[in-house]
Every structure is written in structure tokens, then in C-alpha cells.
């Protein structure tokens, strides 16, 4: 599990592409302080596993499916990325993203930077006004929701210390929706029909005129 509070901005040092996966080398500082091989790191909100550690970098394997379904596929050497270690609770937990969106517009006022993000319908159904949304690993509050998009506002500090401040119209971002909506949706679905010996016995009795 991740908090959505970015710890630092890392830099892609190298991308080695293979037949089925790629290896990212990511320059970092803060997240290396207690990172171990096998630990999870959110890279722009995508949970990756550290496969090797250096004095100022770590590597992570990324399947091509992950590259295809997230904004990680557009990374190149020199790209800056948001980094966060998994939340500690006598151990660290992993996370995921639900899909991607595209920044449609941005605007600034005296106290905030506003982002409007175009979003596929399967994701937008879980996004509600005043609810939570994670964009590139940054936990934010939804300001408005429209037919095919939503908007958020961030304080200037958040824009400055994350890569969100470097993104603009046309850029792809990773999205993770609030899990509560998914639980509610599942609980509202009809319960499965009871099975087992009791169901078989009742059917047997009915078929035989009891």
C-alpha cells in the first residue's frame, strides 16, 4: 500500500529492453535509505520491485504489458519520475494503477494549479467529486467530474516537488481510483446461489414429491 505522498523525484538513467520485459535504472537518493532487493517502489504510481541496488540508483524489471498500459512506456533516459516506497507497517505493501488518463488542460491561479484529465469511462465511474484520486502516485482530491473528464487542483508546492508540475496538455498520467467504490459495487451485486448438500437435498425432495 502507498500513501500517495511522493518522497522524491528520481531520474531514469537507463532503459534496457528485452524480448518480454525491460529493466529501468532509476537514479534516486531518499528511497535508497532502507530499500532492499525485493522491496516495492511506486514509480509514477506504478508498483515496481527493486531488483538491484547501487549507491545512487536502483533497477526494476517492467513487463511489456505494464509499459503498454501505463505512462511508463513513454519514459526515456533523463525522464523524471515520482518515487515513493511502500508504506511501512512492520513491512512494506505493494500497490497498483487502474489505467491512464490524458491531461486535457491546465491553468494557474494565485493559490493553485488546476489539471483537467480526460478519462476512460470504465475508470470515470469510480471517480466522484470530493473523492480521492491518485495521479502518477500523488494522492489528490477530485474537484469536479464531467462526462468524460475530471479536474483536480494542487498547491504550488506539490507542483514544484513532483513531476506533475512539468506536465501539460497531451501528457499521459497513471490513475488509481478509490478502492471503496469497487467494494461497494461488488457488494451490491446479487449474491451467488447457495450450493452444497442442503441445496441438493431440497432439489431431490421436490423432484420426488415431498
Amino acid at each position: 500500500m502507498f500513501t500517495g505522498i511522493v518522497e522524491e523525484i528520481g531520474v531514469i538513467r537507463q532503459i534496457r529492453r528485452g524480448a518480454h520485459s525491460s529493466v529501468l535504472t532509476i537514479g534516486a537518493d531518499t528511497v535508497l535509505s532502507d530499500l532492499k532487493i525485493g522491496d516495492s517502489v511506486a514509480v509514477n504510481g506504478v508498483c515496481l520491485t527493486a531488483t538491484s541496488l547501487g549507491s545512487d540508483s536502483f533497477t526494476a524489471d517492467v513487463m511489456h504489458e505494464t509499459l503498454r498500459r501505463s505512462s511508463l512506456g513513454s519514459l526515456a533516459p533523463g525522464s523524471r519520475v515520482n518515487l515513493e516506497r511502500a508504506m511501512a507497517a512492520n513491512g512494506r505493501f505493494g500497490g497498483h494503477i487502474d489505467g491512464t488518463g490524458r491531461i486535457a488542460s491546465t491553468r494557474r491561479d494565485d493559490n493553485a494549479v488546476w489539471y483537467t484529465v480526460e478519462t476512460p469511462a470504465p475508470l470515470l465511474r469510480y471517480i466522484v467529486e470530493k473523492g480521492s484520486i491518485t495521479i502518477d502516485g500523488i494522492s489528490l482530491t477530485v474537484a469536479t467530474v464531467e462526462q468524460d473528464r475530471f479536474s483536480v487542483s494542487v498547491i504550488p508546492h506539490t507542483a514544484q516537488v513532483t513531476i506533475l508540475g512539468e506536465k501539460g496538455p497531451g501528457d499521459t498520467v497513471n490513475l488509481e481510483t478509490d478502492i471503496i467504490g469497487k467494494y461497494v459495487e461488488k457488494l451490491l451485486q446479487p449474491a451467488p446461489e447457495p450450493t452444497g448438500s442442503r441445496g441438493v437435498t431440497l432439489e431431490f425432495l421436490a423432484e420426488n414429491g415431498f
Side-chain angles (χ1 to χ4, degrees):
M1 181 180 294
F2 294 93
T3 65
I5 300 174
V6 174
E7 295 185 88
E8 69 171 314
I9 294 177
V11 178
I12 300 297
R13 297 267 182 84
Q14 184 183 47
I15 302 176
R16 300 197 306 273
R17 300 188 183 275
H20 303 290
S21 65
S22 295
V23 179
L24 304 183
T25 300
I26 304 172
D29 180 21
T30 303
V31 302
L32 295 175
S33 62
D34 65 348
L35 193 67
K36 302 182 295 296
I37 293 175
D39 283 353
S40 296
V41 181
V43 180
N44 285 355
V46 180
C47 178
L48 301 180
T49 300
T51 54
S52 69
L53 303 175
S55 60
D56 61 354
S57 65
F58 69 96
T59 65
D61 293 344
V62 188
M63 300 302 294
H64 287 172
E65 179 72 1
T66 301
L67 294 175
R68 187 176 70 83
R69 290 182 173 271
S70 72
S71 66
L72 297 190
S74 64
L75 296 177
S79 295
R80 286 152 58 86
V81 290
N82 293 325
L83 301 177
E84 181 197 354
R85 290 165 291 182
M87 183 178 69
N90 296 324
R92 293 190 180 274
F93 303 91
H96 68 282
I97 67 164
D98 294 307
T100 61
R102 188 182 72 86
I103 295 177
S105 64
T106 64
R107 65 180 176 87
R108 294 175 179 265
D109 58 30
D110 292 338
N111 301 310
V113 184
W114 293 80
Y115 295 85
T116 298
V117 182
E118 293 180 342
T119 317
L123 291 186
L124 197 63
R125 65 179 293 151
Y126 301 113
I127 300 173
V128 298
E129 188 172 319
K130 306 305 179 186
S132 297
I133 186 73
T134 300
I135 301 178
D136 278 352
I138 308 164
S139 180
L140 301 169
T141 299
V142 178
T144 64
V145 179
E146 299 177 41
Q147 185 175 2
D148 63 348
R149 64 194 63 199
F150 70 92
S151 67
V152 297
S153 64
V154 302
I155 60 174
H157 174 78
T158 300
Q160 290 171 1
V161 300
T162 69
I163 64 166
L164 194 55
E166 303 169 10
K167 295 202 169 187
D171 286 336
T172 299
V173 290
N174 294 320
L175 301 176
E176 180 182 354
T177 60
D178 194 332
I179 196 171
I180 293 176
K182 300 168 192 173
Y183 280 125
V184 171
E185 181 180 61
K186 184 172 183 178
L187 290 172
L188 289 176
Q189 294 176 357
E193 292 294 328
T195 59
S197 59
R198 178 175 173 81
V200 172
T201 302
L202 290 174
E203 182 180 4
F204 175 81
L205 292 174
E207 290 177 350
N208 288 272
F210 291 98

